[in-house]
Amino acid sequence: MLRVLVVEDNPVNLELVKFLLEEEGCQVTATDRGEEALQLAASMPFDLILMDLQLPGIDGYETTRHLKANPATASIPVIALTAQAMRGEEARALAAGCKLYLTKPLNTQQFREILRSITAGPQGSAPSAA
Ligand code: MN
């Protein structure tokens, strides 16, 4: 089961993302603040972080840079979510350390495929034979 941290300050978008993640069997933790995301990521294990780029307080770029600068959280893949899709924004998100960049409203089919590719990946959290 993927443990996913969702950093999103828009309640409607959070509900959609949570629904899609839980439908795929993910365990979801959510926050609307970058500062809290850093605390959560440092104190709980996550397999994936979904990061809204436009956040109150420190934004998604800055939050991602902090995650990537901390050895304890640097290896967690971060997928950027944005409502703006401005020129240069994708490059900026990737430069901050995001692995992928998705625009809102979310393409739900594409999102499911991305989740499945992460779940099925060689470093995915395949259940151990217990
Ligand atoms: Mn936002």
Side-chain angles (χ1 to χ4, degrees), residues 8-9 52 54-55:
E8 171 63 84
D9 66 315
D52 179 24
Q54 292 81 34
L55 294 169

Side-chain angles (χ1 to χ4, degrees), residues 73-124:
T73 55
S75 65
I76 308 170
V78 177
I79 297 180
L81 302 175
T82 182
Q84 293 187 339
M86 295 190 315
R87 180 189 287 269
E89 196 184 47
E90 179 168 13
R92 213 181 137 205
L94 298 180
C98 296
K99 183 187 175 77
L100 277 172
Y101 172 93
L102 300 177
T103 53
K104 297 185 274 189
L106 221 47
N107 176 328
T108 56
Q109 185 54 38
Q110 179 196 28
F111 187 68
R112 285 192 183 96
E113 284 165 12
I114 288 166
L115 284 179
R116 285 170 193 169
S117 74
I118 291 170
T119 312
Q123 297 305 112

Side-chain angles (χ1 to χ4, degrees), residues 9 12 17 29 35 39 44 49 74 84 89 94 100 113 124 130:
D9 66 315
V12 175
V17 169
T29 302
E35 294 87 341
Q39 292 171 5
M44 297 165 66
I49 298 175
Q84 293 187 339
E89 196 184 47
L94 298 180
L100 277 172
E113 284 165 12

